[in-house]
Amino acid sequence: MTRTAFFISDGTGITAESLGRSLLAQFENVEIRMVTKPYIDSVEKAENLVAIINGTAVKDGEKPIIIDTIVDSNIRDAIRQAEGFMVDIFSTFLKPLEQELATHSSYSVGRTHSIGKDEVYMDRIHSVHFALDNDDGARTHQYDKADVILVGVSRCGKTPTSLYLALQFGIRAANYPLTEDDLDEDGTLKLPKALVPHRHKLFGLTIDPRRLAAIRHERRPNSRYSSMDQCAQEVGQAESLYRQLHIPFIDATRFSVEEISTRMIAETGLTRRFSPR
């Protein structure tokens, strides 16, 4: 079964899409074609969108699912005229909250993803810059300012995890690749000198060697770098190092960046500078 879902917002659409994806992910047997429509901030735009939704209903032979976070009641009323199944996030949750809190909502557009407090916004920007500046072992002299230092073999997910931690939580995350340059004469992986003073900040990522080989093959096909033997050897050495030095680590093979990040925070007690948006 295939259905179309419209995520509609008078702002960025991030909230509608995030909530919508979370809800629809529970229906594994249904194939959902997802369409995000941000900045539907006038009745005219809403009416134009209704025409698109109705056309989709005819084409699919099924009512599209409409998930919206529209604040303006006139715009919501216009969208309700569409031939779709509507899930109105704000009216569903704001009304009971207004009753419980004994006050009315401000019904302000774009509050969730606006800049808001300048210090929070700037903290987010500084954290992202820190992650970029300290990616892949680029500037080890800044590790005293890091909240966490991700370690692991090349292409195991260190960079996207670092950026996600920065963007969503304001955590200053550096990352350092474990390579053959860090091997002892007997072939044992040792902790790089740049990481020794910051051992308490280390968090390891590992990955299934078969998955790693597939990822590396896309970058350097048919090379030693992407060979199964090389991937298995590097992963085995990294995991041995983690266990020897009691470095906490996560197998990133089947986890999303979001899951890796939140599990890491839960395990280490890292302090979030702000909540995810």
Side-chain angles (χ1 to χ4, degrees):
M1 184 188 301
T2 302
R3 299 286 292 271
T4 300
F6 285 88
F7 306 135
I8 306 171
S9 174
D10 41 21
T12 63
I14 295 173
T15 300
E17 183 173 344
S18 297
L19 288 171
R21 286 181 179 274
S22 296
L23 291 171
L24 295 172
Q26 307 305 314
F27 302 93
E28 298 178 359
N29 297 326
V30 182
E31 182 179 345
I32 306 290
R33 185 176 73 91
M34 302 182 186
V35 181
T36 302
K37 292 292 184 179
Y39 300 111
I40 305 302
D41 51 9
S42 70
V43 172
E44 181 182 2
K45 289 180 181 179
E47 291 172 344
N48 291 335
L49 180 56
V50 166
I52 295 173
I53 294 171
N54 291 347
T56 302
V58 173
K59 180 181 177 182
D60 291 353
E62 296 280 359
K63 285 185 176 181
I65 297 162
I66 302 170
I67 297 176
D68 82 276
T69 53
I70 299 291
V71 171
D72 188 288
S73 60
N74 293 322
I75 299 174
R76 283 207 311 272
D77 289 341
I79 292 174
R80 283 197 183 97
Q81 305 309 309
E83 292 295 324
F85 176 78
M86 192 164 180
V87 181
D88 188 336
I89 301 294
F90 276 4
S91 65
T92 300
F93 296 108
L94 280 184
K95 289 297 182 185
L97 280 171
E98 284 179 336
Q99 293 175 2
E100 176 63 26
L101 298 174
T103 185
H104 289 290
S105 162
S106 62
Y107 289 92
S108 300
V109 176
R111 289 184 66 87
T112 307
H113 300 283
S114 63
I115 288 180
K117 294 181 179 179
D118 287 343
E119 65 270 19
V120 172
Y121 181 76
M122 293 310 299
D123 218 353
R124 186 188 305 273
I125 297 301
H126 290 325
S127 297
V128 170
H129 284 169
F130 185 88
L132 292 171
D133 287 343
N134 294 275
D135 182 45
D136 216 23
R139 297 186 180 182
T140 58
H141 66 278
Q142 294 186 349
Y143 283 178
D144 59 318
K145 298 180 179 66
D147 297 317
V148 65
I149 303 169
L150 300 180
V151 292
V153 300
S154 171
R155 311 300 288 180
C156 71
K158 299 184 301 299
T159 297
T161 302
S162 297
L163 288 170
Y164 186 85
L165 287 168
L167 186 61
Q168 293 296 320
F169 304 111
I171 292 173
R172 287 171 172 73
N175 73 80
Y176 190 100
L178 300 175
T179 69
E180 291 183 329
D181 293 338
D182 303 312
L183 295 176
D184 275 331
E185 293 180 359
D186 62 357
T188 302
L189 189 66
K190 62 182 179 180
L191 191 66
K193 290 182 179 180
L195 300 180
V196 172
H198 310 286
R199 183 169 155 180
H200 61 290
K201 295 183 179 182
L202 302 184
F203 195 96
L205 294 184
T206 189
I207 188 171
D208 186 286
R210 291 166 295 185
R211 175 63 179 152
L212 180 61
I215 294 171
R216 288 183 174 184
H217 182 76
E218 294 180 2
R219 189 176 188 184
R220 298 183 197 169
N222 303 316
S223 63
R224 176 172 173 269
Y225 172 75
S226 62
S227 70
M228 186 62 201
D229 287 345
Q230 180 67 20
C231 292
Q233 179 181 336
E234 289 185 30
V235 169
Q237 290 171 334
E239 290 185 2
S240 294
L241 180 69
Y242 300 155
R243 294 188 178 98
Q244 176 189 346
L245 300 180
H246 304 289
I247 297 170
F249 68 97
I250 285 177
D251 186 339
T253 307
R254 294 176 181 83
F255 289 139
S256 65
V257 171
E258 294 88 343
E259 290 174 302
I260 294 168
S261 299
T262 51
R263 284 173 181 269
M264 181 187 307
I265 291 171
E267 288 189 25
T268 61
L270 282 169
T271 301
R272 308 180 185 198
R273 287 189 172 82
F274 44 76
S275 299
R277 309 185 66 170

mmCIF file of all heavy atoms in Angstrom, residues 47 55-56 97-98 120 129 143 178-179 192 200 207 221 233 272:
data_model
loop_
_atom_site.group_PDB
_atom_site.id
_atom_site.type_symbol
_atom_site.label_atom_id
_atom_site.label_comp_id
_atom_site.label_asym_id
_atom_site.label_seq_id
_atom_site.Cartn_x
_atom_site.Cartn_y
_atom_site.Cartn_z
ATOM 1 N N GLU A 47 -4.978 27.645 -0.303
ATOM 2 C CA GLU A 47 -5.925 27.234 -1.342
ATOM 3 C C GLU A 47 -5.208 26.605 -2.533
ATOM 4 O O GLU A 47 -5.685 25.623 -3.112
ATOM 5 C CB GLU A 47 -6.756 28.438 -1.781
ATOM 6 C CG GLU A 47 -7.732 28.911 -0.697
ATOM 7 C CD GLU A 47 -8.426 30.217 -1.047
ATOM 8 O OE1 GLU A 47 -7.934 30.910 -1.977
ATOM 9 O OE2 GLU A 47 -9.428 30.554 -0.382
ATOM 10 N N GLY A 55 -5.530 16.956 -6.218
ATOM 11 C CA GLY A 55 -5.006 16.285 -7.403
ATOM 12 C C GLY A 55 -4.275 15.007 -7.049
ATOM 13 O O GLY A 55 -4.370 13.993 -7.760
ATOM 14 N N THR A 56 -3.570 15.044 -5.926
ATOM 15 C CA THR A 56 -2.864 13.847 -5.451
ATOM 16 C C THR A 56 -3.847 12.758 -5.053
ATOM 17 O O THR A 56 -3.622 11.565 -5.304
ATOM 18 C CB THR A 56 -1.965 14.210 -4.255
ATOM 19 O OG1 THR A 56 -1.036 15.215 -4.648
ATOM 20 C CG2 THR A 56 -1.192 12.993 -3.767
ATOM 21 N N LEU A 97 -3.582 21.780 26.622
ATOM 22 C CA LEU A 97 -2.550 22.463 27.405
ATOM 23 C C LEU A 97 -3.048 23.816 27.910
ATOM 24 O O LEU A 97 -2.734 24.225 29.031
ATOM 25 C CB LEU A 97 -1.285 22.647 26.560
ATOM 26 C CG LEU A 97 -0.374 21.424 26.441
ATOM 27 C CD1 LEU A 97 0.729 21.665 25.415
ATOM 28 C CD2 LEU A 97 0.251 21.099 27.804
ATOM 29 N N GLU A 98 -3.808 24.512 27.068
ATOM 30 C CA GLU A 98 -4.376 25.799 27.504
ATOM 31 C C GLU A 98 -5.286 25.601 28.718
ATOM 32 O O GLU A 98 -5.263 26.398 29.661
ATOM 33 C CB GLU A 98 -5.164 26.424 26.353
ATOM 34 C CG GLU A 98 -4.289 27.042 25.270
ATOM 35 C CD GLU A 98 -5.113 27.628 24.145
ATOM 36 O OE1 GLU A 98 -6.264 27.192 23.945
ATOM 37 O OE2 GLU A 98 -4.609 28.533 23.457
ATOM 38 N N VAL A 120 21.785 31.329 22.851
ATOM 39 C CA VAL A 120 21.572 29.932 22.467
ATOM 40 C C VAL A 120 21.940 29.738 20.999
ATOM 41 O O VAL A 120 22.611 28.779 20.631
ATOM 42 C CB VAL A 120 20.114 29.507 22.720
ATOM 43 C CG1 VAL A 120 19.848 28.115 22.143
ATOM 44 C CG2 VAL A 120 19.812 29.526 24.210
ATOM 45 N N HIS A 129 31.064 25.234 14.457
ATOM 46 C CA HIS A 129 32.400 25.644 13.995
ATOM 47 C C HIS A 129 33.485 24.808 14.675
ATOM 48 O O HIS A 129 34.474 24.413 14.028
ATOM 49 C CB HIS A 129 32.619 27.133 14.291
ATOM 50 C CG HIS A 129 31.901 28.037 13.345
ATOM 51 N ND1 HIS A 129 31.777 29.389 13.536
ATOM 52 C CD2 HIS A 129 31.238 27.769 12.195
ATOM 53 C CE1 HIS A 129 31.095 29.922 12.548
ATOM 54 N NE2 HIS A 129 30.752 28.964 11.723
ATOM 55 N N TYR A 143 41.862 20.419 21.995
ATOM 56 C CA TYR A 143 41.115 19.370 22.680
ATOM 57 C C TYR A 143 40.788 19.718 24.136
ATOM 58 O O TYR A 143 39.891 19.123 24.719
ATOM 59 C CB TYR A 143 41.880 18.051 22.619
ATOM 60 C CG TYR A 143 41.796 17.355 21.273
ATOM 61 C CD1 TYR A 143 42.474 16.166 21.036
ATOM 62 C CD2 TYR A 143 41.035 17.891 20.239
ATOM 63 C CE1 TYR A 143 42.391 15.531 19.811
ATOM 64 C CE2 TYR A 143 40.960 17.272 19.009
ATOM 65 C CZ TYR A 143 41.639 16.086 18.795
ATOM 66 O OH TYR A 143 41.549 15.462 17.585
ATOM 67 N N LEU A 178 41.605 6.661 14.024
ATOM 68 C CA LEU A 178 42.621 5.669 14.387
ATOM 69 C C LEU A 178 43.113 5.010 13.110
ATOM 70 O O LEU A 178 42.345 4.402 12.372
ATOM 71 C CB LEU A 178 42.020 4.627 15.336
ATOM 72 C CG LEU A 178 41.460 5.180 16.653
ATOM 73 C CD1 LEU A 178 40.785 4.066 17.456
ATOM 74 C CD2 LEU A 178 42.560 5.840 17.481
ATOM 75 N N THR A 179 44.417 5.157 12.840
ATOM 76 C CA THR A 179 44.987 4.666 11.587
ATOM 77 C C THR A 179 46.199 3.784 11.854
ATOM 78 O O THR A 179 46.625 3.599 12.998
ATOM 79 C CB THR A 179 45.413 5.848 10.695
ATOM 80 O OG1 THR A 179 46.546 6.517 11.303
ATOM 81 C CG2 THR A 179 44.280 6.853 10.523
ATOM 82 N N PRO A 192 47.033 7.361 20.431
ATOM 83 C CA PRO A 192 47.847 8.452 19.901
ATOM 84 C C PRO A 192 48.228 9.453 20.988
ATOM 85 O O PRO A 192 47.452 9.720 21.914
ATOM 86 C CB PRO A 192 46.935 9.096 18.852
ATOM 87 C CG PRO A 192 45.996 8.003 18.461
ATOM 88 C CD PRO A 192 45.766 7.199 19.699
ATOM 89 N N HIS A 200 40.006 10.929 29.361
ATOM 90 C CA HIS A 200 38.692 10.935 30.027
ATOM 91 C C HIS A 200 37.582 11.482 29.133
ATOM 92 O O HIS A 200 36.391 11.325 29.445
ATOM 93 C CB HIS A 200 38.767 11.764 31.310
ATOM 94 C CG HIS A 200 39.123 13.205 31.081
ATOM 95 N ND1 HIS A 200 40.382 13.612 30.664
ATOM 96 C CD2 HIS A 200 38.374 14.340 31.199
ATOM 97 C CE1 HIS A 200 40.392 14.934 30.544
ATOM 98 N NE2 HIS A 200 39.195 15.389 30.850
ATOM 99 N N ILE A 207 32.096 -0.428 14.088
ATOM 100 C CA ILE A 207 31.178 -0.720 12.993
ATOM 101 C C ILE A 207 31.458 -2.123 12.492
ATOM 102 O O ILE A 207 32.585 -2.620 12.607
ATOM 103 C CB ILE A 207 31.355 0.327 11.855
ATOM 104 C CG1 ILE A 207 30.288 0.167 10.775
ATOM 105 C CG2 ILE A 207 32.750 0.261 11.264
ATOM 106 C CD1 ILE A 207 30.304 1.316 9.742
ATOM 107 N N PRO A 221 36.951 2.178 -4.557
ATOM 108 C CA PRO A 221 36.630 0.794 -4.934
ATOM 109 C C PRO A 221 37.867 -0.038 -5.240
ATOM 110 O O PRO A 221 38.862 0.470 -5.785
ATOM 111 C CB PRO A 221 35.749 0.970 -6.176
ATOM 112 C CG PRO A 221 36.054 2.335 -6.689
ATOM 113 C CD PRO A 221 36.424 3.163 -5.503
ATOM 114 N N GLN A 233 40.588 -6.026 10.207
ATOM 115 C CA GLN A 233 41.777 -5.824 11.041
ATOM 116 C C GLN A 233 41.692 -4.511 11.803
ATOM 117 O O GLN A 233 41.941 -4.468 13.023
ATOM 118 C CB GLN A 233 43.025 -5.828 10.158
ATOM 119 C CG GLN A 233 44.316 -5.601 10.933
ATOM 120 C CD GLN A 233 45.538 -5.588 10.023
ATOM 121 O OE1 GLN A 233 45.533 -6.157 8.937
ATOM 122 N NE2 GLN A 233 46.593 -4.928 10.465
ATOM 123 N N ARG A 272 24.035 18.867 27.941
ATOM 124 C CA ARG A 272 23.497 19.560 26.757
ATOM 125 C C ARG A 272 23.449 21.062 27.044
ATOM 126 O O ARG A 272 22.975 21.464 28.104
ATOM 127 C CB ARG A 272 22.074 19.085 26.459
ATOM 128 C CG ARG A 272 21.921 17.579 26.359
ATOM 129 C CD ARG A 272 20.479 17.239 26.070
ATOM 130 N NE ARG A 272 20.255 15.798 26.071
ATOM 131 C CZ ARG A 272 19.195 15.238 25.512
ATOM 132 N NH1 ARG A 272 18.261 15.968 24.936
ATOM 133 N NH2 ARG A 272 19.054 13.921 25.562
#
